[in-house]
Amino acid sequence: MKILKFVTFSILLLISTEVFSQLSVSSYSIYALGVSTSHTKKVSGELKLFGNRMFDEILYEPAVLFNFSGKEYHQFSIGVGCNFTPFGSFDRINALTVPFQLQIFPLAEMKKISLLIELTPEFIPEESMNLRHLWGIRYTFGN
């Protein structure tokens, strides 16, 4: 029940920050897909889906990111998130996450396409800590 309240709160928070925003779609190698709000704002949200597993083991990870001022060819972001399995045999939080993202714009005239590098400490309840890294590509819709 707690996880349902957290998910509902996270979705409402992401929706209420800004109704009209650019959306981005990210593919993190073969491990995850992400949908995020505009990274040109100071605060953005991202929802990752970690697929390539059984349906009841699919991981979801909503995160809120603080975006530092972007430069011509890169932008840094840091955030906080929660990794959970909503369709598993029992609802539980798998890890609290602190994603550090570097978004690189290899072509200055095409800012809609960027490369991503993410390094994320995962704090697993009652266990230990992992260090996850992801790399991928992001496409931003809109202006």
Side-chain angles (χ1 to χ4, degrees), residues 51-63:
N52 293 340
R53 32 181 101 212
M54 299 288 287
F55 182 75
D56 59 347
E57 296 175 0
I58 292 176
L59 302 173
Y60 292 87
E61 186 176 304

Side-chain angles (χ1 to χ4, degrees), residues 87-108:
F87 303 112
S89 56
F90 53 91
D91 290 338
R92 75 178 187 111
I93 294 174
N94 297 320
L96 297 175
T97 60
V98 182
F100 293 88
Q101 289 185 351
L102 172 61
Q103 186 171 343
I104 301 169
F105 307 103
L107 304 171

